[in-house]
């Protein structure tokens, strides 16, 4: 196999860039009042991190190339080109795991300002005391899973699963780094959740494309190039926008080495976006690969430098925990008008609403009908998610338990009910082109979908997560971290969607239930939610007391009273969505009975009723036997 010179040059340029930035930056620890672990330790950590990042993005991009760019094989299997890309991802993930493991002690030394010799003697204590080494341990786990799993993968759906795990594996060191500190860190963290996967898909897919074009016998090259350009143009746009948002938060208008390096990185991505549009099919991918090596070096350099936001005004405790202050109690006007955009769930809700509207419009243009009620339900569900995460409710909900419970119940009970009534999968299957439609079918038929959509699994996760989260100490441990708060909100939404998909969903679930069983499943779950609210109202222990004491909101004088109010909200607000679900289920049941009666009448009128024919045949047989 020939060596890709452009890839080697890109890696060399990236490594050289890291060396230049580390040597040029000097002692960055002294600015923060920390000791310097030594230039050699900083340089080694920079090179190891760049290796881990490079291997990680190759793994993610190669899997994305196999899943979304290369034409699928027969049935749900991988084509030969997709299989080759998945094997590339497996090899890259093995390198990724090794580099991430080496980054654990190096990041501990970098965070504590201790030289390697001291770090090794106190490694366990340093890992326990700092966040970034824990993040690298999570990366090691994700990379090992991808390395082993991708080595034996033969189906498209399984490759898509490894892509999700690999993408998640890119995030921990980033969201535990600079973006997680100080004012506006909530916005910066959400922006990086878009930024990092987009960078991984873009860079890694380019490496996989180069291997694809150099491989003899590769088929459908024009289709692959067209899909690659479409996928990476989207990634480029996301990179520019998310990088700009992060830069505005971290640079804070300062003009120093950090701001200049960040501006250069964003400018390079923007220039590549413009040049690729201008050059079109003549664009030299080798040049892009080399430039990307320098861009990745800039990214690693940015993790080493001190952002200007660190040197700005000292953040308050509330800014440290939330990213913003909550000096005044919530009023109706503040809840309705005091918006703070959630660039993850809030923006995701807007994008899903736009995509749904485009699908409905496509159906109507070709003359197909789509129920208005489904559109209203979906758009209403997206609006609930947007308001819950980005309005004044989303702003205040991390501050008090009662408002958190309003947000929790909205994301768990109300939004999923509306979303499943929209039938998004049915709409997508009727409007998507053949390739994406096949991907969606493969996902809905996958083992993961069957597991998530199993009635027992969906019901247990839906109910048990309430008790496990709030009564195990997990809630108090998670709330100080913005990423954990976002993960909770995402879990609330997905667990509610999975459960109500089985009960009243328009889309066909992997394990369809008769309407009576759906009603029984709903009634079996309802008491547990009511009992959860009763426990909160009667308990004398404050959930996440340490976290709320740190916030020290002057307008919340009694935490236990606020918690009991939250329990009352959980008990009361759970009833209305359940009533809506019961009404929707009964209507669906009645409609199904009407359809069945219509089919039966049609068979009887046409004389083609199988049961009647079987009965007449039995009577004729009895007559022939003399009975």
């Amino acid at each position: 196999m020939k060596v890709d010179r452009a890839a080697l040059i890109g890696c060399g340029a990236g490594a050289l860039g890291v060396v230049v930035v580390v040597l040029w930056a000097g002692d960055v620890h002294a600015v923060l009042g920390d000791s310097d672990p030594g230039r050699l330790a900083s340089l080694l950590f920079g090179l190891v991190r760049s290796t881990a990042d490079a291997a990680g993005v190759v793994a993610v991009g190669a899997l994305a190339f196999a899943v979304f760019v290369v034409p699928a094989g027969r049935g749900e299997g991988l084509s030969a080109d997709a299989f080759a890309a998945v094997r590339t991802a497996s090899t890259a993930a093995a390198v990724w795991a090794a580099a991430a493991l080496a980054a654990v002690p190096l990041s501990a030394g970098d965070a504590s300002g201790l030289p390697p010799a001291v770090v090794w003697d106190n490694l366990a204590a340093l890992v326990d005391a700092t966040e970034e080494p824990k993040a690298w341990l999570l990366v090691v786990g994700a990379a090992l899973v991808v390395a082993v799993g991708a080595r034996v993968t033969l189906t498209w759906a399984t490759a898509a699963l490894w892509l999700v795990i690999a993408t998640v594996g890119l995030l921990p060191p980033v969201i535990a780094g600079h973006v997680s500190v100080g004012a506006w860190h909530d916005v910066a963290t959400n922006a990086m959740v878009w930024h990092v996967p987009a960078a991984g898909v873009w860079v890694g897919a380019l490496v996989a494309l180069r291997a694809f074009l150099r491989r003899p016998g590769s088929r459908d090259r024009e289709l692959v190039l067209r899909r690659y350009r479409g996928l990476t143009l989207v990634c480029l746009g996301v990179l520019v926008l998310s990088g700009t948002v992060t830069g505005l938060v971290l640079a804070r208008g300062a003009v120093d080495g950090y701001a200049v390096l960040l501006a250069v990185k964003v400018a390079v991505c923007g220039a590549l976006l413009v040049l690729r549009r201008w050059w079109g099919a003549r664009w030299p991918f080798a040049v892009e690969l080399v430039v990307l090596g320098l861009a990745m070096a800039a990214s690693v350099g940015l993790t080493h430098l001190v952002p200007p936001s660190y040197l700005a005004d000292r953040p308050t405790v509330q800014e440290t925990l939330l990213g913003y202050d909550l000096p005044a109690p919530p009023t109706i006007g503040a809840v309705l008008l005091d918006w703070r955009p959630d660039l993850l769930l809030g923006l995701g809700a807007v994008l899903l609403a736009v995509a749904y509207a485009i699908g409905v419009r496509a159906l109507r243009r070709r003359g197909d009908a789509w129920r208005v009620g489904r559109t209203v339900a979906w758009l209403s569900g997206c609006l609930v998610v947007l308001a819950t995460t980005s309005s004044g409710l989303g702003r205040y909900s991390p501050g008090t338990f009662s408002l958190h419970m309003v947000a929790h119940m909205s994301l768990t009970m109300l939004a999923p009910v509306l979303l499943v009534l929209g039938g998004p999968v049915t709409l997508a299957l009727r409007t998507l082109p053949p390739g994406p439609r096949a991907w969606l079918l493969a996902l809905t038929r996958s083992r993961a979908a069957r597991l998530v959509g199993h009635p027992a699994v969906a019901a247990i996760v839906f109910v048990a997560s309430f008790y496990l989260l709030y009564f195990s100490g997990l809630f108090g441990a998670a709330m100080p971290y913005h990423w954990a708060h976002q993960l909770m909100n995402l879990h609330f939404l997905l667990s509610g969607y999975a459960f109500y998909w089985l009960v009243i969903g328009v889309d066909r679930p992997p394990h369809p239930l008769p309407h009576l069983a759906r009603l029984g499943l709903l009634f079996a779950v309802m008491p547990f939610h009511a009992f959860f609210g009763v426990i909160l109202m009667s308990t004398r222990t404050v959930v996440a007391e340490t976290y709320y004491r740190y916030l020290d909101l002057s307008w919340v004088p009694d935490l236990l009273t606020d918690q009991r109010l939250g329990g009352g909200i959980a008990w009361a607000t759970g009833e209305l969505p359940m009533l809506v679900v019961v009404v929707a289920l009964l209507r669906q049941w009645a409609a199904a009975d009407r359809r069945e009666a219509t089919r039966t009448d049609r068979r009887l009128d046409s004389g083609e009723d199988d049961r009647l024919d079987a009965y007449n045949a039995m009577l004729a047989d009895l007559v022939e036997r003399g009975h």
Side-chain angles (χ1 to χ4, degrees), residues 91-128:
T91 303
V95 177
W96 186 20
L101 185 60
V104 172
L106 293 172
S107 64
D110 186 73
S112 60
L114 299 175
V118 178
V119 170
W120 278 112
D121 294 335
N122 303 275
L123 183 59
L126 290 174
V127 170
D128 182 63

Side-chain angles (χ1 to χ4, degrees), residues 194-502:
W194 290 98
H195 189 86
V196 173
V201 170
W202 175 23
V203 179
L206 177 57
V207 174
L209 175 67
R210 297 270 301 171
F212 170 83
L213 295 176
R214 294 162 62 88
R215 189 181 305 118
S218 298
R219 304 173 61 184
D220 302 309
R221 295 199 172 200
E222 291 301 322
L223 174 62
V224 168
L225 286 172
R226 186 169 65 250
R227 286 183 175 180
Y228 167 80
R229 291 190 182 100
L231 177 65
T232 53
L233 279 176
V234 172
C235 291
L236 277 167
V238 171
L239 276 171
V240 172
L241 294 175
S242 58
T244 301
V245 171
T246 307
L248 292 174
V249 173
L250 295 181
R252 297 285 183 87
V255 181
D256 60 359
Y258 186 93
V260 171
L261 192 59
L262 182 61
V264 169
K265 176 187 170 184
V266 174
V268 166
C269 294
L272 285 175
L273 177 61
V274 173
L275 289 174
R276 280 186 55 181
R277 296 288 294 177
W278 179 55
W279 281 57
R282 299 173 298 158
W283 174 249
F285 291 114
V287 174
E288 182 175 336
L289 194 58
V290 174
V291 174
L292 286 177
L294 293 173
M296 290 193 62
S299 297
V300 176
L302 289 171
T303 64
H304 179 70
L305 298 177
V306 179
S309 61
Y310 278 41
L311 307 178
D313 295 335
R314 186 177 182 87
T316 65
V317 174
Q318 294 176 22
E319 286 179 329
T320 301
L321 293 174
L322 305 178
Y324 51 89
D325 284 322
L326 293 175
T331 62
I332 295 178
V335 171
L336 295 178
L337 302 176
D338 194 5
W339 284 58
R340 187 179 183 88
D342 183 333
L343 297 182
L344 189 58
L345 292 180
L347 180 57
V350 173
L351 295 177
L352 288 175
V354 172
Y356 192 96
I358 292 174
V360 172
R361 184 181 181 186
L363 275 183
R364 291 180 176 175
R365 277 186 170 181
R366 70 187 190 199
D368 293 342
W370 186 256
R371 296 180 184 176
V372 175
R374 294 180 181 179
T375 304
V376 172
W378 178 265
L379 295 181
S380 299
C382 292
L383 181 60
V384 170
V385 175
L386 176 63
T388 302
T389 57
S390 301
S391 70
L393 174 59
R395 183 185 182 97
Y396 277 91
S397 61
T400 68
F401 188 85
S402 56
L403 289 179
H404 166 82
M405 194 53 61
V406 174
H408 179 169
M409 300 305 289
S410 298
L411 292 175
T412 305
M413 305 289 285
L414 180 57
V417 170
L418 297 170
L419 292 174
V420 298
L421 290 174
V425 176
T426 302
L427 176 64
L429 291 176
R430 293 180 61 181
T431 56
L432 288 175
R437 187 188 304 125
W439 301 337
L440 183 57
L441 281 173
L443 285 178
T444 56
R445 296 170 180 173
S446 64
R447 293 181 179 178
R450 290 197 295 269
L451 176 63
V452 171
H454 193 281
V457 173
I460 290 174
V461 171
F462 185 59
V463 173
S465 58
F466 278 75
Y467 295 88
L468 180 62
L469 176 63
Y470 294 105
F471 300 140
S472 67
L474 185 60
F475 178 73
M479 284 302 289
Y481 304 101
H482 176 73
W483 62 266
H485 186 240
Q486 291 290 74
L487 197 60
M488 277 193 294
N489 287 341
L490 185 62
H491 170 75
F492 296 154
L493 186 62
L494 294 181
S495 62
Y497 189 97
F499 178 76
Y500 290 116
W501 179 28
L502 292 173

Side-chain angles (χ1 to χ4, degrees), residues 516-575:
L516 182 59
R518 298 183 191 182
L519 188 62
L521 182 64
L522 180 64
F523 285 150
V525 164
M526 288 175 63
F528 290 98
H529 282 279
F531 188 54
F532 168 77
V534 171
I535 293 177
L536 285 177
M537 287 188 290
S538 59
T539 185
R540 296 180 178 273
T541 303
V542 177
V543 177
E545 181 176 7
T546 302
Y547 165 75
Y548 289 116
R549 295 291 182 195
Y550 280 151
L551 280 181
D552 192 26
L553 298 178
S554 59
W555 42 271
V556 185
D558 190 345
L559 294 178
L560 188 59
T561 299
D562 182 70
Q563 178 176 298
R564 288 173 176 171
L565 174 60
I569 291 171
W571 175 77
T573 56
E575 301 302 320

